[in-house]
Amino acid sequence: MKKKTVSGVIKDLQRILIDEKAIEKRIREMAAEISAECTGKVVTVVALMDGSLFFVADLLRRIDLPIKLVTLCASSYHGTKSTGKLTVNWPANISFKDETVLLLDDILDTGLTLSEIRAHIESHQPAWLRCGVLLSKRRERAREVTSEYIGFEIEDEFVVGYGMDYNGRFRNLPCIGVLQLDSAD
Ligand code: 5GP
Ligand code: MG
């Protein structure tokens, strides 16, 4: 692997799609919207790791409410493609009964991840359940699912940065960009 700095990696992106400032601004807006809608509640946030790590860390620090955080590891991607199969590490004694639940993921793509996890949480009879994603791809979904909070709509292309990876790399880029696949070494 060639030695590179983060700014060197950013220069090698095909294109920066959303810069750090725009992400920060949009997350503040989303946090204000969620805080207003859930006033007076304790919010159970279910965050899908690893992709939503940075989004969740920044969003939650701006939500002006008490929060209980549950993290789940969910994966369905291999390289730049969805495998169509989802694996989730559900903890044994999980319960969402009568809770105010906010399910967060980095990106809505085929819809498989959010639809399966949303349905599972719904089966635990929460009092309130909404989804939030930083990005939503404009494409046909394999599974219908609603995300009530969306940071940005993007075209159907593979993105990295701000938590999102390509084979485990690029998560620590402060911006979101499109990868030049031949420079991903
Ligand atoms: P879905 O289940 O909706 O197809 O995909 C959701 C998951 O696939 C996301 O949580 C994310 O981990 C991964 N994913 C989908 N599109 C992209 C993308 O463009 N870049 C990266 N890095 N991951 C993606
Ligand atoms: Mg994911």
Side-chain angles (χ1 to χ4, degrees), residues 13-54:
L13 292 173
Q14 193 190 93
R15 179 156 63 84
I16 294 179
L17 210 57
I18 308 169
D19 68 20
E20 209 177 338
K21 275 230 162 77
I23 296 172
E24 195 197 321
K25 177 170 179 281
R26 186 66 189 118
I27 284 183
R28 277 185 196 283
E29 293 167 355
M30 294 174 85
E33 205 182 323
I34 293 162
S35 304
E37 205 160 332
C38 299
T39 304
K41 302 283 192 317
V42 176
V43 182
T44 301
V45 170
V46 180
L48 305 186
M49 295 292 122
D50 299 318
S52 74
L53 179 65
F54 291 55

Side-chain angles (χ1 to χ4, degrees), residues 87-111:
T87 49
V88 187
N89 70 325
W90 288 104
N93 297 317
I94 203 146
S95 162
F96 299 108
K97 182 127 178 71
D98 300 329
E99 294 187 15
T100 298
V101 182
L102 177 63
L103 170 60
L104 295 176
D105 201 8
D106 51 357
I107 180 161
L108 175 55
D109 180 30
T110 66

Side-chain angles (χ1 to χ4, degrees), residues 153-173:
E153 292 218 6
I154 63 166
E155 294 310 316
D156 186 9
E157 51 193 351
F158 189 78
V159 296
V160 294
Y162 196 70
M164 289 167 284
D165 74 316
Y166 170 67
N167 288 344
R169 290 187 56 212
F170 304 101
R171 292 197 199 273
N172 65 325
L173 304 187

